[in-house]
Amino acid sequence: MFDYNVDSKGMSLSDNEYIDYLQKKTGVRVELDTPGTAGYLDKLNIMMASGQYPDAFEVNDQDKNKLLQFASDGLLTDITPYLDKYPNLKNAMPKEAWLPVTQNGKIWAIPYNRHDAFNQVIYINKKWLDTLGLQVPHTIDEFYGVMKAFTEQDPDRNGKNDTYGLIGLNDLSYGGRIFQAAFDAETYKYRNNELLPPEVTDEYKKYLTFMSKLVSEKILDPEWATTTGAIFRQKINTGKYGIFNGFWHFASGKEFAPGIMDNYIAIDPPLHEDGTPSAFNYKTTNRHYIAIPNETKNVEALLKFMDWALSPEGTRYSYLGIEGKDYTENNGNYVKTADPANLHWAFSLIKHGQLTDDVKKYMQTQYSDNVIANLTMANKIGKLDKVAAALPYNPELAAYGLPKIAQEYTAKTILGNQKVETSWDDFVKKYRSSGGDKAIKQYTEWYQKEGSSLK
């Protein structure tokens, strides 16, 4: 069962040329059952509760805890004993990809590991740099100076005070993340015998202080708190913003008006305060997982199918489709002859996520070299927070609402409704008394027992 959420354009989910091709290659015929995204988890819950299990099912990464709940209820197959039989599963899949679905030494699902899991780069308006005679910034102070100049020195030379140094999204995943990285405020920290979430660390306090300064000086677009993804793209199209972070493929220009992205180049994030390189940290590198109920009879057939999908031939299929139908190959050069049908994507049940030279060649059928170079940069400046990826599932923690407490405080302080220096201690006390102490205790016990080895 698969959360298949694109238009199949009339192609059968159980009888088509992709299913035939994969059966020819693996000896396994896969049939997809999809209730659609809106009702997917509801149907899955009903099936698992009633004992009418699918042979296997997909769960998106954001719903990983549902999968781990099934595991804790004794409903899933442990993949661990099988891995030695399937070399691609064991060796091609990065070890870190298994962390989110590994509990107590058992692996409860097979990850789809993204080749672009580390997907963010920083874009800066090179045209504005040249107009103002500025250099590419490297330190936090240099970034601040450039953003201030972009705001105050009329970089587009229209004689109006209508430009901003930085644009942010309402959750600051664009804009704010640049400086979360710079202040090392994205990762769990082990201090004073406690494993602390990033939101209650001194690094996060520094980040909030810096961002509130950008708001007070109108360097950050003041509409950031109501800027959705669609509005963000509309704003970039106006050409009034100097710096933002975003997906590596923004450089293709496909998401923006013609010519807009021609003004921007990708650069590294600001250095840490001590001069060391910073990185964008990610809690996962996976898109989704495939889990197998423990009542499934033909586990090895499915794992054989998955193992082929991670082979060189299977990897090429994942990116290009069927040779002779969707692409041609000549001396290692690949040319797309047609876009694979949407249904082709549904058979990317699994991917090893490695950005190899071969994978880059496959991607050259769709993206120019400069766009792929940005993906290479995103991988260079991206890092997995292994502790966050491997934290054990505990349903009790969800009831505390700790993320909401942190998000509300973040918004209030950055908007200037509260001063960080006078409210920080009260925020930390509220966080801890609202379940944070219990969460930190559980995090710490796990970390001291097994998590510290992940560093």
Side-chain angles (χ1 to χ4, degrees), residues 39-53:
Y40 184 81
L41 276 182
D42 290 338
K43 182 174 181 180
L44 178 61
N45 282 328
I46 291 170
M47 293 180 73
M48 297 300 285
S50 66
Q52 296 178 332
Y53 309 121

Side-chain angles (χ1 to χ4, degrees), residues 62-329:
Q62 61 264 34
D63 298 317
K64 177 195 70 176
N65 284 346
K66 171 57 66 176
L67 187 153
L68 295 177
Q69 179 185 326
F70 292 146
S72 67
D73 291 340
L75 300 178
L76 301 185
T77 297
D78 175 16
I79 307 298
T80 314
Y82 295 94
L83 287 182
D84 284 340
K85 299 180 182 180
Y86 300 100
N88 294 315
L89 271 172
K90 182 176 182 179
N91 300 318
M93 184 69 71
K95 289 181 174 56
E96 292 82 2
W98 302 99
L99 289 176
V101 287
T102 300
Q103 302 281 297
N104 300 316
K106 295 182 178 181
I107 298 173
W108 296 114
I110 304 163
Y112 176 107
N113 191 241
R114 298 182 64 117
H115 66 283
D116 61 349
F118 301 145
N119 52 49
Q120 299 279 306
V121 295
I122 297 173
Y123 293 98
I124 190 169
N125 195 314
K126 181 64 164 60
K127 184 177 180 180
W128 287 7
L129 284 176
D130 293 342
T131 297
L132 298 178
L134 299 173
Q135 300 298 313
V136 170
H138 299 288
T139 67
I140 295 172
D141 286 345
E142 288 173 357
F143 266 79
Y144 169 76
V146 166
M147 291 187 300
K148 190 173 180 65
F150 282 171
T151 303
E152 299 175 352
Q153 296 181 20
D154 191 23
D156 61 357
R157 294 298 189 250
N158 70 349
K160 299 178 182 180
N161 183 21
D162 61 352
T163 58
Y164 296 95
L166 181 67
I167 181 172
L169 208 58
N170 52 14
D171 63 357
L172 291 175
S173 55
Y174 295 161
R177 193 172 188 191
I178 297 170
F179 299 102
Q180 272 190 276
F183 287 102
D184 193 20
E186 290 186 302
T187 60
Y188 284 77
K189 305 289 192 300
Y190 185 68
R191 291 187 180 143
N192 299 320
N193 296 314
E194 287 186 320
L195 183 65
L196 300 175
E199 294 83 5
V200 294
T201 62
D202 290 340
E203 288 84 353
Y204 200 79
K205 180 181 179 182
K206 289 183 178 181
Y207 157 68
L208 293 179
T209 301
F210 182 82
M211 293 299 293
S212 65
K213 177 182 178 181
L214 298 185
V215 168
S216 67
E217 297 182 7
K218 295 183 171 53
I219 292 171
L220 173 61
D221 175 19
E223 296 179 344
W224 69 268
T226 56
T227 298
T228 62
I231 294 173
F232 172 85
R233 285 166 172 77
Q234 292 170 10
K235 283 177 172 285
I236 295 298
N237 282 338
T238 68
K240 298 298 182 181
Y241 300 91
I243 293 178
F244 59 93
N245 61 290
F247 289 114
W248 59 274
H249 52 71
F250 281 179
S252 69
K254 295 177 181 178
E255 291 96 339
F256 301 98
I260 286 292
M261 289 307 297
D262 293 345
N263 297 322
Y264 291 88
I265 60 171
I267 62 173
D268 288 336
L271 299 171
H272 289 312
E273 292 178 292
D274 64 3
T276 57
S278 66
F280 289 136
N281 284 270
Y282 298 78
K283 294 181 180 179
T284 181
T285 55
N286 301 322
R287 182 194 180 278
H288 63 246
Y289 307 91
I290 304 296
I292 306 173
N294 59 11
E295 296 293 323
T296 296
K297 305 283 188 221
N298 214 353
V299 172
E300 299 228 17
L302 182 60
L303 294 180
K304 177 184 177 183
F305 179 91
M306 298 289 191
D307 195 66
W308 176 86
L310 296 184
S311 70
E313 185 179 43
T315 297
R316 187 164 58 250
Y317 166 79
S318 292
Y319 284 93
L320 298 178
I322 299 173
E323 185 173 6
K325 174 191 177 298
D326 301 317
Y327 74 95
T328 59
E329 185 269 336

Side-chain angles (χ1 to χ4, degrees), residues 199-201 204-205 208 409 420 422-428:
E199 294 83 5
V200 294
T201 62
Y204 200 79
K205 180 181 179 182
L208 293 179
Y409 181 73
V420 180
T422 57
S423 63
W424 176 258
D425 290 344
D426 288 339
F427 157 67
V428 174

